[in-house]
Amino acid sequence: MSTPTLGSSLPDDFTHSAQGTTLRRILGLPALVFFGLVYMVPLTIFTTYGVVTEITGGRTALAYVVTLLAMIFTALSYSFMVRRYPIAGSAYSYTSLSFGPGVGFLAGWCLLLDYLFLPMINYLVIGLFLNIAFPEVPAWVFVVGFVTLVTVLNILGISSVSGMSNLIVVAQLIFVLVFLAMTGKSLLGGPVDFSAPLIGDGSQPGLAPLMAGAAVLCLSFLGFDAVSTLAEEARDPKRDIPRAIVITTLSAGVLFFVLAYLAQLVFPGSQFKDADAAANEVMLQAGGQFLSAFFTAAYVAGAAGSALASQASVSRILYSMGRDGILPRRLFGTLSERFHTPVVAILIISLVSLLAVVIDLATLASMISFGALVAFSAVNLAVIRTYLFSGRPRQRGDLARYGLVPLIGFALIAWLWTSLSGLTLAIGLGWFAVGLAYLAVQTGGFRRPAPQVQFSEHE
């Protein structure tokens, strides 16, 4: 076993593993893109649609343009890093290899905020929607049932996750087509202000509300980075993972913009009876009870798929941190010999997800936003450190590709940082402080080095 130095060249077929058991390389480019899309949930725009529409004064579609601009530069940074280090662990692994294991742990710790609690949001939403449809059944019953189902599928292996993801994406895309058709029909024959989704209704003028809405919408793009956590299960990670990251980001961004734009056209303004349930008002306006019921079914399916994909991703991150020894190796750093999956990590995530029975959506969203922006910032900086300050000879175009692109990505993410709420910052900094304290204990007050990210090379 060897530990590469910063910027070292790794064999194309190397595997990052522990105890001789490895993840299975079975995923191609289509499966990776579908995984990213189902993680993001094509219908996720309707989760925060009402809230962001009120924040921006009816400019949700324009806010998506701002967020996509920031995300595409960051997605390129992820693609650069996964091409150099095609391993599981995402921002944690990239930051560890670029800035050292201590900084890597803190990045990974903050990354856990969005990965660890994103499944919980999906379970919470599933419980709420199904409880409305079947009020005689308590919401917690649906939460426990879906946690159990998703856990079993993840234990069985990534092939079951991939197959289920494909079905869910197809079902949601069918709904999107129906929504587009019924929205177009509802707009025919009446006056339509096609500029309204971009200029708003004037209730929240200026750039600050637009940026505040864009910061919230970062939640919609969580998924392109999740693709990188499957690097050790992709058949050709150096080629397919970077492509899948960029394709997922662009595809989702365009879809989000179109859906938000049409929703604003069919239901103008920024005032709703209930901002959290604004999607129902839009669906009723666009297609009546049929579209509303169709939306509920498709949305619940999408939330289940997102829970499936997000639980798979976070289990790989915990496994990566566990095998490096930064988390207890016996708990997190092992794979099942039968299923070749991190079963213990999956079960621990399932137990945490049961908090969906008691926690509220606003608190979860706050924690996720902070974690996502920390991870995005760290990866942008890691590209600059890895490619421009590693001592390797520079080639023509390196300064633009590995300097300018991640620098723009970092600047845009930093801009979104300024729009986070005080609650988000308080929760995020509190979580960071806990991680820093844990790292201090692990390293004897920072006197000992943190465990290193290691690789095994297989011929």
Side-chain angles (χ1 to χ4, degrees):
M1 178 171 290
S2 61
T3 304
T5 58
L6 178 64
S8 63
S9 177
L10 301 175
D12 291 339
D13 60 347
F14 86 91
T15 311
H16 188 180
S17 66
Q19 301 158 332
T21 305
T22 63
L23 298 166
R24 293 172 176 170
R25 295 191 179 277
I26 61 175
L27 301 180
L29 180 61
L32 293 168
V33 172
F34 267 59
F35 178 88
L37 288 176
V38 76
Y39 193 108
M40 299 169 84
V41 187
L43 300 184
T44 193
I45 82 144
F46 295 112
T47 302
T48 55
Y49 176 79
V51 173
V52 175
T53 299
E54 289 189 348
I55 291 174
T56 61
R59 293 180 290 169
T60 299
L62 185 59
Y64 266 114
V65 174
V66 175
T67 308
L68 176 60
L69 183 62
M71 292 302 105
I72 194 60
F73 282 99
T74 300
L76 288 171
S77 289
Y78 271 87
S79 73
F80 297 152
M81 291 305 295
V82 78
R83 188 175 291 117
R84 175 65 66 87
Y85 301 120
I87 59 176
S90 190
Y92 159 66
S93 292
Y94 305 149
T95 310
S96 294
L97 291 164
S98 300
F99 295 104
V103 178
F105 168 78
L106 293 175
W109 180 262
C110 292
L111 180 65
L112 286 179
L113 276 175
D114 61 60
Y115 280 129
L116 190 58
F117 295 110
L118 190 58
M120 200 184 306
I121 280 187
N122 289 295
Y123 295 129
L124 187 153
V125 172
I126 289 171
L128 290 176
F129 272 83
L130 291 182
N131 178 247
I132 292 173
F134 307 98
E136 65 277 6
V137 182
W140 69 266
V141 173
F142 294 113
V143 171
V144 173
F146 272 86
V147 169
T148 302
L149 175 62
V150 168
T151 298
V152 170
L153 289 174
N154 267 298
I155 288 175
L156 291 178
I158 198 64
S159 59
S160 66
V161 175
S162 176
M164 185 66 69
S165 297
N166 294 347
L167 290 175
I168 292 171
V169 169
V170 170
Q172 292 205 42
L173 292 179
I174 290 173
F175 169 82
V176 168
L177 293 176
V178 173
F179 174 75
L180 294 177
M182 299 191 78
T183 299
K185 182 180 178 180
S186 70
L187 294 175
L188 290 176
V192 179
D193 183 0
F194 290 100
S195 65
L198 303 179
I199 63 176
D201 60 7
S203 61
Q204 297 290 341
L207 184 61
L210 183 66
M211 293 302 299
V216 174
L217 294 180
C218 286
L219 180 64
S220 300
F221 284 88
L222 294 178
F224 78 83
D225 57 322
V227 174
S228 67
T229 68
L230 300 181
E232 293 179 40
E233 290 157 282
R235 287 194 293 266
D236 190 350
K238 289 191 175 183
R239 184 194 68 177
D240 289 343
I241 294 290
R243 293 179 180 179
I245 288 173
V246 175
I247 292 172
T248 298
T249 305
L250 285 173
S251 300
V254 171
L255 179 61
F256 293 157
F257 171 80
V258 170
L259 292 177
Y261 184 86
L262 291 177
Q264 189 65 44
L265 288 180
V266 76
F267 196 99
S270 59
Q271 299 301 315
F272 304 98
K273 295 178 182 177
D274 180 1
D276 292 337
N280 287 330
E281 297 181 48
V282 173
M283 299 306 157
L284 287 171
Q285 182 70 23
Q289 289 292 342
F290 164 74
L291 191 60
S292 179
F294 192 3
F295 166 76
T296 299
Y299 187 78
V300 169
S306 180
L308 188 67
S310 57
Q311 188 172 9
S313 290
V314 72
S315 66
R316 271 66 178 173
I317 292 173
L318 292 176
Y319 163 64
S320 183
M321 297 176 77
R323 67 186 171 185
D324 295 337
I326 200 67
L327 293 178
R329 184 174 285 110
R330 290 186 179 181
L331 280 178
F332 298 100
T334 60
L335 294 175
S336 165
E337 293 185 6
R338 178 179 179 183
F339 301 111
H340 290 252
T341 53
V343 172
V344 176
I346 291 170
L347 292 175
I348 291 174
I349 297 161
S350 300
L351 292 176
V352 173
S353 295
L354 291 175
L355 290 174
V357 174
V358 297
I359 203 165
D360 66 274
L361 186 61
T363 302
L364 284 177
S366 297
M367 292 187 287
I368 290 171
S369 297
F370 183 92
L373 291 180
V374 169
F376 296 160
S377 300
V379 172
N380 279 308
L381 294 177
V383 171
I384 298 173
R385 175 71 176 88
T386 299
Y387 283 92
L388 299 184
F389 296 94
S390 61
R392 295 168 61 91
R394 296 178 187 171
Q395 299 178 358
R396 181 178 299 178
D398 279 0
L399 285 177
R401 184 181 300 111
Y402 305 124
L404 185 59
V405 168
L407 189 61
I408 292 174
F410 178 80
L412 291 171
I413 294 299
W415 195 7
L416 294 178
W417 270 99
T418 64
S419 300
L420 292 176
S421 68
L423 175 63
T424 298
L425 292 174
I427 293 174
L429 292 175
W431 177 266
F432 180 85
V434 172
L436 187 63
Y438 178 83
L439 182 63
V441 172
Q442 287 287 97
T443 58
F446 305 107
R447 291 189 296 271
R448 298 189 302 270
Q452 295 280 345
V453 176
Q454 295 185 334
F455 303 88
S456 23
E457 301 173 9
H458 299 273
E459 302 298 334

